[in-house]
Amino acid sequence: MKQKNKFDKWFLLSWKRFLFILIAFIIAVLLHNLIYGLGIYFGGRNFWGVGGDEPFFFIIATILIPLYFIICIVYSLIKKFSK
């Protein structure tokens, strides 16, 4: 049996990890929109976010999750074709 290293644990793409990334992306987008919508509702049209949480979820949804997904794809392809 082949021993997995810690990079395989975090970056080797599987269906389970793909679904986790997809669900995390959807949750981050929903939280971003929910917090922004609540801010507009309670703070008026000139509201820019609630205590910094709205930009936090925006950065997670638009930068961090897609970057992690791309890294997982590249790592998995390198791992597959290096054998």
Side-chain angles (χ1 to χ4, degrees):
M1 189 166 134
K2 197 174 194 181
Q3 179 122 3
K4 288 188 173 186
N5 61 22
K6 65 180 177 179
F7 290 115
D8 286 353
K9 178 183 174 185
W10 291 104
F11 298 119
L12 194 59
L13 196 59
S14 64
W15 285 108
K16 185 177 176 181
R17 188 171 314 267
F18 174 75
L19 288 176
F20 176 76
I21 292 170
L22 182 64
I23 290 169
F25 175 76
I26 291 170
I27 289 172
V29 168
L30 289 176
L31 284 173
H32 161 71
N33 290 330
L34 177 70
I35 290 172
Y36 184 73
L38 288 173
I40 292 293
Y41 180 75
F42 290 113
R45 292 189 66 87
N46 294 328
F47 187 77
W48 287 92
V50 178
D53 290 340
E54 187 262 336
F56 175 74
F57 291 117
F58 178 77
I59 290 171
I60 288 175
T62 59
I63 297 173
L64 294 180
I65 292 175
L67 183 64
Y68 178 69
F69 183 63
I70 290 169
I71 290 170
C72 287
I73 289 174
V74 170
Y75 181 81
S76 297
L77 288 173
I78 290 172
K79 193 80 168 171
K80 180 176 179 168
F81 290 120
S82 67
K83 292 181 180 182

